[in-house]
Amino acid sequence: MAKGKDARVTVILECTSCVRNSIDKVSRGISRYSTQKNRHNTPNRLELKKFCPYCYKHTIHGEIKK
C-alpha cells in the first residue's frame, strides 16, 4: 500500500545575505536551517525570514538544492 511520492519533503534554507557578502569579504560562515514543506501546497521555492547568527539580524533564508 505504498503511495507514489511523499507530499512532505525536507528542504534546506540558506541565508541570502551571507551568500552575497561572502564574495567580497572573508566568510565567517553561512547560516542554514532545515525544515519540511508540503510539495502540493507550495510547489515553488520556499523563503522564510529567520535569524542569522553571522549577520546578527533577521534575514530572508531561501531554499537551496541538496
Side-chain angles (χ1 to χ4, degrees):
M1 290 241 196
K3 295 184 179 180
K5 290 190 170 184
D6 292 333
R8 215 151 261 286
V9 292
T10 303
V11 295
I12 299 172
L13 303 175
E14 186 175 83
C15 181
T16 54
S17 63
C18 284
V19 174
R20 276 188 253 131
N21 289 342
S22 67
I23 297 168
D24 301 334
K25 302 175 186 174
V26 176
S27 178
R28 294 183 306 238
I30 296 175
S31 173
R32 287 188 174 172
Y33 286 94
S34 63
T35 186
Q36 291 185 341
K37 77 170 189 176
N38 191 321
R39 194 181 319 186
H40 299 298
N41 293 341
T42 53
N44 50 355
R45 298 241 173 184
L46 187 64
E47 285 189 344
L48 296 174
K49 200 165 186 181
K50 307 282 264 175
F51 180 77
C52 178
Y54 302 105
C55 299
Y56 301 110
K57 58 185 174 183
H58 284 83
T59 58
I60 294 176
H61 285 64
E63 181 182 338
I64 60 168
K65 284 188 171 182
K66 286 186 182 178

